[in-house]
């Protein structure tokens, strides 16, 4: 009986998978059954109790500052300030991380611990309190791949996701690489972006930058165990070596997480191993190396149609089928045939050389490798997309502090990616009466060479008394790969590497040559201190969005004869889409004292060459063209306030709109009336508030999130009701009160009042004619115990 490649991938790793932590706890037998996981978690829980010992101090690794010389002790203190452990009363987010004029907000360690949830697996969830951010996941733990986020109405397809400023992750393989326990701070640039930030395929939606928590100066460790609704279990451990006599310090962390879906059948599992190593070589050179292995698998949640969203009392728990009927057209929606798995490895380094007290050179090479598969229902069949891609790249920067209180940065970034979307090979399978998959045919077969990106950039910052001016320029150069599709008729069920021995015939009309795009991305900003508490800022930058070549290729392959009849081949169609650009402007104020920060911001942006699906009456088909435009404007308010010694408030509010500039053709004789209409998914109003009460080791944080009405389609014909959700988190630190190592018991609930609502809307910014909807998770309860030394 034929099995898809995904089945062989799954069997390769075993039902539960195996990593370093598994080997340590379970031994070398990878075949241990999943039912034995509960024993592992029991051992982990006992290890928590065994970790009780007198507490040791913790101190962050000294940072290498660029510019002025800084004594090592001061640098250690500076690093500790940036990535210090969460303290009672900390705000969950900080709108005033630095004095740069760009609208950047940061999620603190306290915010990461609470907002990241018990799984600490999704950086998206940690952004929940920030203004103009709409984050939703189909499951409450952030372990599912059915998740979404928009920043000022722009989807994460256009979001630059970086780690320590490096665009390590790819387009496909969207799981977060690092556990949030290993992240010291999360920065989000919502509007204008400096030249040395936002590297990658796209930054039109902004920049999400994870800052790794580096090895600590003193020997320390932490272990935690979490449990929760729907069979949730998570074990995490990290140990830091401290600074050794050789000038070396390192950390190793490991985690295992799994949870059942809250509806239907299936689950999600995540295994993560990470390390970081820092070596000082004299007073001038410091080398840091970080690596991570992440293995994540999840069964998909089935979305609802708009009609089904109108009666959530009856449809909220609809999901993929849990039994086999013997009818392939029905069984394609069997839960086990709709799943995704990514196995990802990444390694990157930071090599900083201090030339003298005023100038430095930093090199950051990186490598990212992702393999796995996606299985999804495709009509009466199941489509298998085996995935194997990588990124190889790096940055090099020269930084100098000038005598007249100015800093200049010169940098260069390069990356090669091979392959990437569109898919190079996909197969279709039919479900059998025995619950297996039988090969039907190849649906896609193609070759592609390397996708290359280059960017020289510069940023200059000057301070004139109370005024800081910063401006820069980046040249974004992108060379798309040669793409060649092949005829697949009659090809058997063999692997991608073996199919070429059968000499499949290339389709001469389905070839797209390499194309190179050049986009200049300037930025300019100014911040002026009006008084000790007040400052004002204004900034502008141009950002870039990646064309989505996959749907364009699908449009051609699905109606090849119709296109060829009009003399249009794939190369012609690919030439009709280009990178979109966004001009973003932000004007804001900041009031900041020791206990209160208020940051109101007015913003606007203009999107050019936006890619949308447009009907061509000459061809009689719809395809993608970069000929739409949108205008966005809005107001954000972000605040944190330590109201008393025992009460801290963190919140944000947004009033925003993004509308299409003009109507677009929707059919042979019709027009989609979207001019002036709100773009899908984004609410006009949203508000978030967290209140943290803390006293005598006890802390409780209720969180309220409100979103107004949203739309599923661009013509605003499918509206989704507004919702307000309340989550609550509590903790009690009792170990130090007993003279032991710090130990903390925590508990919480998401969706406290068990509200039925639509969370994620599966909107593509190109196809404006269809969408699907995901139900928000019901009330979820969780608890955990952690110990550190």
């Amino acid at each position: 009986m034929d099995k898809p490649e995904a089945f062989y991938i799954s069997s390769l790793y075993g039902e539960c998978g195996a990593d370093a932590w598994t080997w340590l706890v379970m031994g070398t037998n990878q075949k241990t059954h999943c039912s034995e996981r509960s024993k592992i978690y029991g051992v982990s829980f006992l290890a928590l109790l065994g970790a009780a010992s007198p507490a040791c101090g913790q101190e962050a690794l000294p940072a290498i500052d660029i510019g002025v010389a800084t004594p090592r002790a001061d640098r250690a203190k500076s690093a500790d300030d940036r990535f210090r452990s969460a303290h009672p009363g900390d705000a969950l987010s900080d709108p005033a991380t630095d004095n740069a004029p760009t609208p950047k907000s940061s999620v603190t360690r306290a915010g990461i611990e609470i907002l990241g949830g018990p799984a600490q697996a999704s950086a998206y969830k940690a952004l929940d309190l920030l203004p103009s951010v709409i984050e939703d996941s189909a499951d409450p733990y952030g372990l599912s791949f059915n998740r979404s986020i928009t920043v000022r109405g722009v989807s994460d397809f256009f979001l630059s996701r970086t780690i320590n400023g490096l665009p390590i992750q790819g387009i496909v393989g969207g799981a977060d690489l690092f556990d949030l326990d290993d992240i010291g701070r999360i920065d989000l640039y919502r509007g204008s972006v400096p030249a040395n930030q936002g590297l990658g395929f796209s930054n039109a939606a902004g920049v999400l930058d994870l800052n790794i928590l580096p090895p600590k100066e003193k020997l320390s460790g932490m272990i935690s165990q979490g449990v929760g609704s729907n069979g949730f279990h998570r074990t995490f451990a990290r140990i830091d070596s401290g600074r050794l006599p050789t000038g070396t310090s390192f950390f190793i962390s490991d985690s295992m997480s799994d949870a059942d879906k809250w509806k239907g059948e299936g689950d999600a599992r995540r295994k993560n191993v990470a390390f970081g190593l820092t070596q000082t070589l004299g007073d001038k050179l410091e080398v840091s190396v970080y690596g991570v292995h992440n293995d994540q698998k999840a069964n998909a949640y089935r979305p609802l149609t708009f009609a089904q969203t109108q009666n959530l009392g009856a449809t909220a728990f609809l999901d993929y089928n849990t039994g086999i009927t013997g009818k392939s057209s029905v069984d394609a929606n069997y839960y086990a045939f709709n799943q995704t798995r990514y196995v990802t490895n990444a390694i990157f380094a930071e090599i900083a050389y201090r030339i003298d007290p005023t100038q430095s050179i930093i090199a950051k090479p990186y490598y990212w490798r992702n393999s796995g598969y996606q299985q999804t229902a495709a009509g009466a069949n199941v489509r298998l997309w085996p995935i194997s891609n990588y990124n190889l790249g790096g940055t090099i920067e020269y930084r100098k502090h000038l005598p007249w209180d100015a800093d200049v940065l010169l940098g260069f970034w390069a990356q090669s990616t091979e392959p990437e979307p569109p898919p190079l090979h996909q197969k279709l399978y039919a479900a059998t009466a025995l619950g297996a998959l039988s090969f039907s045919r190849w649906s896609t077969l193609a070759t592609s060479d390397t996708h290359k990106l280059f960017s020289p950039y510069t940023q200059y910052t000057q301070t004139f008394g109370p005024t800081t001016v910063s401006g820069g320029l980046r040249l974004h150069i992108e060379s798309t790969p040669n793409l060649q599709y092949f005829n697949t008729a009659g090809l058997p069920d063999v692997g991608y590497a073996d199919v070429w021995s059968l000499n499949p015939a290339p389709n001469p009309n389905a070839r797209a040559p390499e194309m190179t795009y050049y986009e200049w991305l300037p930025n300019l900003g100014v911040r002026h201190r009006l008084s000790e508490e007040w400052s004002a800022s204004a900034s502008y930058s141009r950002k870039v969005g990646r064309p989505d070549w996959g749907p364009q290729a699908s449009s051609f392959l699905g109606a090849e004869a119709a296109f060829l009849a009009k003399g249009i081949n794939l190369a012609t169609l690919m030439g009709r889409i280009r990178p979109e650009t966004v001009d973003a402007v932000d004007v804001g104020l900041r009031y900041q004292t020791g206990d209160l920060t208020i940051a109101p911001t007015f913003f606007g942006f203009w999107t050019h060459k936006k890619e949308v699906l447009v009907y061509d009456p000459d061809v009689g088909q719809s395809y993608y063209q970069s000929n739409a435009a949108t205008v966005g404007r809005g107001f954000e308010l972000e605040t944190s306030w330590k109201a008393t010694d025992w009460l801290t408030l963190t919140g944000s509010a947004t009033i925003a709109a993004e509308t299409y500039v003009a109507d677009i053709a929707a059919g042979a004789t019709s027009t989609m009336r979207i001019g002036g209409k709100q773009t899908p998914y984004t609410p006009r109003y949203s508000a978030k508030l967290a209140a943290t009460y803390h006293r005598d080791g006890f802390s409780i944080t209720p969180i309220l999130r409100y979103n107004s009405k949203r739309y599923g389609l661009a013509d605003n014909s499918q509206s989704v009701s507004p919702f307000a959700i309340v989550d609550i988190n509590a903790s009690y630190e009792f170990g130090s009160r007993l003279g032991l190592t710090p130990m903390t018991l925590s508990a919480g609930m998401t969706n406290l009042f068990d509200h039925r609502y639509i969370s994620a809307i599966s909107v593509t910014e190109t196809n404006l004619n269809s969408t699907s909807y995901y139900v928000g998770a019901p009330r979820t309860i969780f608890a955990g115990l952690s110990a550190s030394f």
Side-chain angles (χ1 to χ4, degrees):
M1 184 178 299
D2 293 328
K3 295 184 179 180
E5 293 179 33
F7 278 49
Y8 294 104
I9 296 172
S10 181
S11 63
L12 176 66
Y13 288 90
E15 178 63 22
C16 295
D19 57 17
W21 180 259
T22 310
W23 294 329
L24 286 173
V25 180
M26 300 169 60
T28 57
N29 181 11
Q30 297 184 26
K31 300 298 185 180
T32 302
H33 194 273
C34 291
S35 64
E36 297 185 15
R37 285 176 295 181
S38 59
K39 300 179 183 178
I40 301 170
Y41 295 119
V43 173
S44 301
F45 181 81
L46 293 176
L48 283 173
L49 300 179
S53 61
C56 298
Q58 299 184 23
E59 187 177 356
L61 176 71
I64 290 186
D65 297 330
I66 306 303
V68 296
T70 307
R72 178 171 295 277
D74 292 343
R75 285 188 268 134
K77 183 178 183 299
S78 174
D80 190 57
D81 288 341
R82 290 191 300 136
F83 299 124
R84 66 183 178 87
S85 300
H87 291 173
D90 283 351
L92 305 188
S93 64
D94 183 3
T97 309
D98 53 45
N99 287 322
T102 52
K104 180 182 76 172
S105 299
S106 298
V107 183
T108 64
R109 273 301 311 160
I112 292 173
E113 291 179 4
I114 293 177
L115 301 172
Q120 291 287 291
S122 172
Y124 285 3
K125 295 190 72 65
L127 303 178
D128 251 350
L129 275 185
L130 300 187
S132 294
V133 173
I134 306 300
E135 178 278 327
D136 284 301
S137 175
D139 85 295
Y141 296 110
L143 294 172
S144 169
F145 295 106
N146 300 124
R147 64 175 190 172
S148 63
I149 190 173
T150 64
V151 180
R152 291 184 176 175
V154 186
S155 75
D156 59 354
F157 183 84
F158 298 105
L159 182 67
S160 174
R161 292 179 298 155
T162 60
I163 300 174
N164 284 15
L166 298 174
I168 296 174
Q169 297 183 201
I171 298 296
V172 176
D176 288 284
L177 285 178
F178 284 89
D179 286 324
L180 295 185
D181 307 80
D182 291 326
I183 303 301
R185 192 185 69 237
I186 301 177
D187 295 331
L188 181 69
Y189 295 82
R190 298 187 302 276
S192 54
V193 178
N196 60 324
Q197 293 289 340
L199 304 176
F201 293 99
S202 302
N203 64 4
V207 184
L208 169 60
D209 185 35
L210 303 181
N211 296 270
I212 299 293
L213 188 64
K216 297 175 182 177
E217 280 289 286
K218 294 186 178 181
L219 174 65
S220 61
M222 192 270 276
I223 185 170
S224 66
Q225 176 68 59
V227 296
S229 303
N230 307 309
F232 170 74
H233 290 276
R234 180 180 190 256
T235 301
F236 172 85
R238 169 168 164 152
I239 186 166
D240 287 76
S241 68
R243 180 71 64 177
L244 303 177
T246 59
T248 307
S249 59
F250 65 86
F251 77 82
I252 299 175
S253 69
D254 197 353
S255 72
M256 295 192 302
S257 306
D258 65 78
D260 296 328
K261 290 168 55 182
W262 62 267
K263 66 175 179 176
E265 294 289 340
D267 61 4
R269 302 173 191 166
R270 185 176 190 267
K271 301 172 180 66
N272 189 278
V273 181
F275 76 88
L277 182 147
T278 296
Q279 177 70 55
T280 57
L281 300 170
D283 293 331
K284 292 182 176 293
L285 183 64
E286 184 169 83
V287 178
S288 299
V289 180
Y290 297 93
V292 64
H293 167 81
N294 189 73
D295 183 350
Q296 192 161 340
K297 170 184 171 293
N299 292 101
Y301 284 87
R302 188 172 185 175
L304 303 183
T305 65
F306 178 70
Q308 290 171 330
T309 67
Q310 302 306 292
N311 184 11
L312 289 181
T315 63
F317 284 84
L318 291 178
D319 199 48
Y320 287 104
N321 304 336
T322 58
I324 296 293
T325 66
K327 298 180 181 179
S328 180
S329 59
V330 175
D331 294 339
N333 287 304
Y334 182 55
Y335 80 93
F337 299 154
N338 292 268
Q339 60 180 332
T340 297
R341 184 175 188 178
Y342 296 129
V343 180
T344 310
N345 296 283
I347 187 167
F348 63 97
E350 301 181 10
I351 306 166
Y353 179 71
R354 183 185 300 272
I355 300 172
D356 60 35
T358 66
Q359 55 185 338
S360 301
I361 295 177
I362 302 178
K364 296 182 180 182
Y366 60 89
Y367 176 76
W368 173 89
R369 178 73 178 180
N370 177 61
S371 59
Y373 62 88
Q374 292 181 4
Q375 279 184 195
T376 55
N381 295 297
V382 175
R383 176 182 290 114
L384 169 66
W385 178 8
I387 294 169
S388 179
N389 49 19
Y390 76 84
N391 291 342
L392 176 64
T395 64
I396 185 166
E397 294 182 350
Y398 168 78
R399 300 187 180 191
K400 183 173 179 59
H401 182 74
L402 301 173
W404 49 90
D405 201 12
D407 292 277
V408 63
L409 178 151
L410 299 173
F412 182 79
W413 165 63
Q415 175 178 297
S416 64
T417 299
E418 183 181 333
E420 57 134 29
L424 295 188
H425 63 301
Q426 293 182 330
K427 301 176 185 178
L428 294 178
Y429 292 81
T432 70
L434 297 178
L437 292 175
S438 176
F439 173 74
S440 295
R441 61 183 176 86
W442 288 72
S443 60
T444 301
L445 178 63
T447 58
S448 171
D449 58 16
T450 303
H451 189 139
K452 299 177 286 291
L453 300 103
F454 307 95
S455 272
Y457 55 90
T458 183
Q459 191 78 19
Y460 179 86
T461 303
Q462 171 88 57
T463 299
F464 306 92
T467 304
T468 298
V469 179
S470 184
L473 181 66
R474 178 161 77 94
L475 175 59
H476 180 83
I477 306 171
E478 183 171 7
S479 293
T480 66
N482 287 294
L483 185 64
Q484 174 66 67
Y485 284 89
F486 292 78
N487 296 320
T488 61
L491 292 178
D493 186 13
V494 297
Y496 182 75
D498 299 324
V499 74
W500 305 110
S501 64
L502 303 173
N503 297 316
N507 183 344
N509 300 304
R511 178 182 179 275
E514 176 181 318
M515 300 180 67
T516 302
Y517 304 98
Y518 300 86
E519 297 291 346
W520 290 98
L521 308 176
N523 74 86
L524 179 64
V526 59
R527 178 176 294 279
H528 179 71
R529 181 166 295 281
L530 303 171
S531 66
E532 286 297 319
E533 295 82 16
W534 284 98
S535 63
S537 64
S539 60
Y540 158 81
S541 77
R542 170 162 285 196
K543 303 184 288 185
V544 66
R546 173 188 182 272
D548 195 359
W549 293 282
Q552 193 76 324
S554 298
S555 295
F556 177 80
L557 297 174
E560 183 174 346
F563 284 107
L564 294 178
K566 296 296 181 180
I568 299 175
N569 58 21
L570 180 60
T572 304
L573 279 192
M574 288 296 192
R576 296 188 181 182
I577 56 175
R578 301 183 60 82
E580 71 176 49
T581 57
V582 178
D583 290 308
V585 174
D586 297 88
V587 178
L589 293 172
R590 180 191 295 174
Y591 176 83
Q592 186 176 15
T593 67
D595 297 325
L596 175 64
T597 301
I598 302 175
T601 302
F602 293 90
F603 67 86
F605 61 89
W606 296 261
T607 303
H608 319 284
K609 298 178 293 184
K610 192 173 186 68
E611 179 183 339
V612 293
L613 185 67
V614 177
Y615 184 83
D616 187 339
D618 292 335
V619 182
Q621 298 292 327
S622 295
Y623 58 89
Y624 294 84
Q625 299 184 48
S626 298
N627 62 354
T630 64
V631 174
R633 62 275 186 194
F635 170 77
E636 300 167 340
L637 178 64
E638 187 174 7
T639 183
S640 63
W641 181 30
K642 189 174 179 61
T644 68
D645 289 339
W646 44 266
L647 179 64
T648 303
L649 303 176
T650 308
S652 68
T654 306
I655 304 173
E658 182 186 3
T659 57
Y660 293 94
V661 173
D663 299 336
I664 63 171
T669 59
S670 64
T671 299
M672 181 177 286
R673 304 293 181 182
I674 64 173
K677 298 290 183 66
Q678 177 86 344
T679 54
Y681 190 88
T682 306
R684 228 174 248 282
Y685 308 99
S686 64
K688 305 144 183 197
L689 178 64
T692 300
Y693 171 88
H694 54 93
R695 178 169 287 180
D696 299 327
F698 174 76
S699 177
I700 184 169
T701 304
I703 301 169
L704 171 67
R705 293 179 292 121
Y706 168 78
N707 285 328
S708 67
K709 181 169 63 175
R710 296 169 293 161
Y711 297 102
L713 294 182
D715 62 1
N716 294 177
S717 61
Q718 296 185 3
S719 64
V720 175
S721 299
F723 66 85
I725 299 298
V726 176
D727 303 330
I728 191 166
N729 292 267
S731 65
Y732 179 64
E733 196 287 303
F734 62 92
S736 58
R737 286 167 173 73
L738 301 177
L740 305 174
T741 187
M743 301 183 70
T744 301
L745 178 66
S746 59
M749 283 185 283
T750 59
N751 194 358
L752 176 64
F753 298 107
D754 202 23
H755 181 58
R756 293 285 180 269
Y757 70 104
I758 295 298
S759 59
I761 303 177
S762 181
V763 170
T764 65
E765 299 195 31
T766 54
N767 186 347
L768 306 179
N769 296 301
S770 63
T771 192
S772 52
Y773 303 84
Y774 291 90
V775 181
R779 181 190 297 118
T780 302
I781 303 172
F782 54 87
L785 178 64
S786 65
S788 59
F789 67 88

